[in-house]
Amino acid sequence: MGKNLAGKTGFIIAVLVIFVYGIFGIPHGSLKQSITDRIHLGLDLRGGTRLVLQVHVAEALNSATDRDVQRLNTSIPGVTASKLDPAHPEVITISGVQPAQQSSVHDTLTSNDYAVYDVTTSSAGGYVLTMKQSAITDLEKRTLDQSIETIRQRVDSLGVSEPVIEQYGLGDNEILVQLPGVDDPGHVESIINSTAKLEIHAVIGSYPDEQQAMTALNGVLPPDQELVKGSGGMGGPDQVYLLQRASVVEGTDFRDATPQTDENGRPDIGFTLTTEAGDRFYKYTDANKGTGSMAIVLENRVKEVATIQQAIRDSGRITGGFTQQQAQDLSMMLRTGSLPATISYLETRSVGPSLGAASIHQGVVAAVAGMLAVMVFMLIYYRGAGINADLALFLNLVILLGFMGFTHAVLTLPGIAGVILTIGMGVDSNVLIFERIREELRLGKTTAAAVQEGFAHAWITIVDTHITTIVSAGILFLFGTGPVKGFAVTLTFGLLANIFTAVFVSRVIFDYLLSKKERGAALSI
């Protein structure tokens, strides 16, 4: 064997050893356990929970414009900023502008602080601020992205391996959650729901019930205020609280939170705000100390009402008759960030492990049966060269599974289909090479020349077909959901492995056989 051929053979053996390690790792327990520790099964094979959630991004838009309304009313004396049309929360109307204020108000509205709005003059001499469509789109995208990240952090607390949490569809503000091995959808929903929106609002008043509240308001609820029910803490009876609609602080403003106990040994929560939120909270509490109160609103209920005794900047405590578990859960929620908007469940589905086991069995049987059938066909049709093709095909499968083991990729039922398709593409590559070699032999060329020409001419066709298929798989990966991505991943790497085995490995085997044959001996093909 020539030095060059020995080096190529050593390289192939090294690749084989590396990817066998990728499949099994350092064996512990049974071989099956070693494989499943390295190659994780998807929801359709392992069983688990599948949820489709919808994020109500309009709430984030409402919250953003509510804050701007409150900021405008505070920063520009004498004018009234409000949202008059509930159907268009992106529009803010400025009224009560005096002629002497026109220039200064216009300068404020066109400053960088309100750059996300288009500013126009109203017929009454005021201004209308309309949030730009680009800003709305950006806000909705950030709300969806933050919701995905928050849900992912919550799901991580369940200890689920390889969960799928991603945007579902395009432009629908929906999230797909797939949790392999989790068969209790109710528990999953409770964990996700624990990330409900938390806010701190200014309290304007409280009433025994909603009817008395509306009577006190002469039947008209101001657009910048809202009625929220709650006990106000310490297990008291439910009341109706009139709150400023715009929150002073909300869940996304919390930087850290830890469960603690107060001076009486009761559980409470210590929190730390972000710098920007701390400055905003300080201005509010400093302006209202001794005279105002604030409400902690969680899951659209007033959990606690506290009197503002002193200015608070970036740290404080939340009390309210929590149990130890409630304090731990709420502090965990605040540490990881609450949802920027509420969510609703469009689909909840549980896949039983028996169905997953049946899918695995059927998929493995299909893959093994297909591979054996192909290998037998290659042996019968191409005789000795068929052994070459079968060895390359086997190595192709080892490389593909080893890659999945190294990357801890999730194997799904479509992924198994990708493996089977890779086998078919591998056979196709060998057929192209073998038929080209046959043509060269029929033209009267020597065996070595026929092999040389066969690989040289088939190479371009093989690369062309594989690259076009890989591009298609890449598009599936970019725009597909979890199972489709699994198919794209196995197909892509299987095709890359196939180029290596069908061209490089197969050629080395041919070169080895030719080196052992006498000059002019026939090739079994």
Side-chain angles (χ1 to χ4, degrees):
M1 185 184 297
K3 183 178 180 181
N4 190 38
L5 190 59
K8 291 179 179 178
T9 303
F11 176 71
I12 293 171
I13 294 173
V15 169
L16 179 62
V17 171
I18 290 172
F19 283 100
V20 166
Y21 174 79
I23 298 174
F24 299 102
I26 299 176
H28 60 280
S30 65
L31 287 179
K32 180 180 179 181
Q33 182 63 42
S34 298
I35 294 174
T36 54
D37 285 346
R38 305 279 296 180
I39 303 176
H40 299 289
L41 301 180
L43 182 71
D44 50 357
L45 298 180
R46 186 179 173 187
T49 297
R50 181 181 190 271
L51 305 170
V52 178
L53 317 175
Q54 185 170 51
V55 182
H56 297 280
V57 294
E59 291 184 4
L61 174 61
N62 254 318
S63 179
T65 51
D66 282 344
R67 280 192 176 183
D68 286 335
V69 166
Q70 185 180 51
R71 185 166 50 152
L72 286 165
N73 284 325
T74 303
S75 61
I76 307 177
V79 306
T80 301
S82 59
K83 298 193 299 183
L84 301 179
D85 187 355
H88 294 281
E90 75 279 8
V91 179
I92 299 174
T93 302
I94 310 292
S95 59
V97 181
Q98 300 300 317
Q101 292 179 289
Q102 288 285 347
S103 178
S104 61
V105 171
H106 183 269
D107 289 343
T108 299
L109 298 181
T110 55
S111 66
N112 288 334
D113 290 340
Y114 302 98
V116 295
Y117 293 94
D118 288 323
V119 181
T120 57
T121 305
S122 69
S123 57
Y127 293 93
V128 176
L129 277 64
T130 305
M131 186 175 287
K132 299 174 182 177
Q133 186 57 49
S134 59
I136 295 175
T137 302
D138 180 64
L139 177 62
E140 291 178 346
K141 183 180 184 304
R142 284 189 284 111
T143 301
L144 184 64
D145 291 343
Q146 186 179 341
S147 297
I148 291 174
E149 183 59 31
T150 303
I151 292 173
R152 178 176 287 111
Q153 292 176 1
R154 280 291 171 270
V155 168
D156 286 345
S157 69
L158 295 173
V160 181
S161 62
E162 305 300 327
V164 174
I165 305 170
E166 60 190 10
Q167 184 176 356
Y168 186 62
L170 297 175
D172 294 327
N173 299 317
E174 296 176 4
I175 300 174
L176 173 67
V177 179
Q178 292 185 334
L179 307 176
V182 177
D183 56 1
D184 186 357
H187 180 54
V188 175
E189 290 185 15
S190 68
I191 291 295
I192 294 177
N193 281 338
S194 70
T195 62
K197 195 174 182 181
L198 181 142
E199 300 170 315
I200 297 178
H201 290 259
V203 179
I204 300 172
S206 62
Y207 307 91
D209 54 46
E210 189 170 337
Q211 182 178 355
Q212 293 191 40
M214 293 305 296
T215 300
L217 295 169
N218 297 319
V220 179
L221 180 65
D224 60 342
Q225 299 174 13
E226 62 180 346
L227 295 174
V228 181
K229 293 182 179 179
S231 62
M234 302 305 295
D238 269 8
Q239 301 182 64
V240 172
Y241 292 89
L242 180 63
L243 308 180
Q244 194 74 33
R245 183 179 296 276
S247 61
V248 181
V249 173
E250 60 183 33
T252 53
D253 295 322
F254 288 87
R255 183 169 59 192
D256 192 20
T258 55
Q260 300 175 349
T261 54
D262 63 14
E263 57 276 6
N264 296 316
R266 293 173 300 199
D268 64 11
I269 299 157
F271 66 85
T272 304
L273 300 174
T274 62
T275 302
E276 189 274 333
D279 292 341
R280 187 171 67 245
F281 198 43
Y282 178 82
K283 290 179 182 178
Y284 167 73
T285 53
D286 185 54
N288 293 277
K289 60 184 177 184
T291 59
S293 57
M294 56 187 181
I296 310 296
V297 180
L298 178 65
E299 298 181 3
N300 203 33
R301 279 186 59 84
V302 175
K303 304 294 288 187
E304 178 194 358
V305 174
T307 300
I308 303 173
Q309 298 177 343
Q310 59 183 4
I312 303 172
R313 183 172 293 279
D314 60 353
S315 62
R317 292 193 308 173
I318 301 174
T319 61
F322 299 111
T323 65
Q324 190 66 42
Q325 185 62 50
Q326 288 172 333
Q328 290 177 354
D329 290 345
L330 182 55
S331 63
M332 180 190 297
M333 181 189 74
L334 295 177
R335 281 197 305 274
T336 56
S338 66
L339 289 172
T342 58
I343 59 174
S344 58
Y345 293 84
L346 301 181
E347 179 183 340
T348 302
R349 182 155 54 92
S350 181
V351 180
S354 60
L355 178 60
S359 299
I360 295 174
H361 176 73
Q362 293 171 357
V364 170
V365 167
V368 171
M371 189 168 182
L372 289 176
V374 167
M375 294 174 73
V376 170
F377 170 79
M378 297 299 286
L379 288 173
I380 294 174
Y381 194 74
Y382 290 107
R383 291 171 288 187
I387 299 175
N388 183 336
D390 290 347
L391 288 174
L393 205 60
F394 175 75
L395 181 58
N396 187 13
L397 186 61
V398 170
I399 292 175
L400 175 56
L401 294 178
F403 162 78
M404 298 190 71
F406 276 124
T407 60
H408 298 289
V410 179
L411 181 63
T412 61
L413 195 57
I416 294 178
V419 174
I420 297 173
L421 181 57
T422 298
I423 294 172
M425 293 287 288
V427 173
D428 179 65
S429 299
N430 282 286
V431 168
L432 287 172
I433 295 171
F434 293 172
E435 288 300 322
R436 188 68 191 189
I437 293 174
R438 280 181 167 182
E439 289 181 11
E440 298 297 332
L441 289 172
R442 283 194 290 267
L443 292 174
K445 293 185 178 180
T446 64
T447 302
V451 171
Q452 172 68 28
E453 292 296 321
F455 276 93
H457 288 90
W459 160 253
I460 300 299
T461 304
I462 292 171
V463 171
D464 179 63
T465 56
H466 280 61
I467 288 179
T468 53
T469 308
I470 288 173
V471 170
S472 300
I475 294 173
L476 288 177
F477 182 83
L478 289 174
F479 298 104
T481 55
V484 175
K485 286 187 176 182
F487 171 79
V489 168
T490 54
L491 179 60
T492 299
F493 198 83
L495 292 173
L496 293 174
N498 185 50
I499 293 177
F500 171 73
T501 57
V503 178
F504 182 79
V505 175
S506 183
R507 178 61 188 272
V508 170
I509 295 174
F510 269 118
D511 288 346
Y512 174 78
L513 293 175
L514 291 175
S515 70
K516 296 299 182 181
K517 289 181 178 291
E518 295 182 3
R519 191 176 185 86
L523 182 66
S524 177
I525 193 170

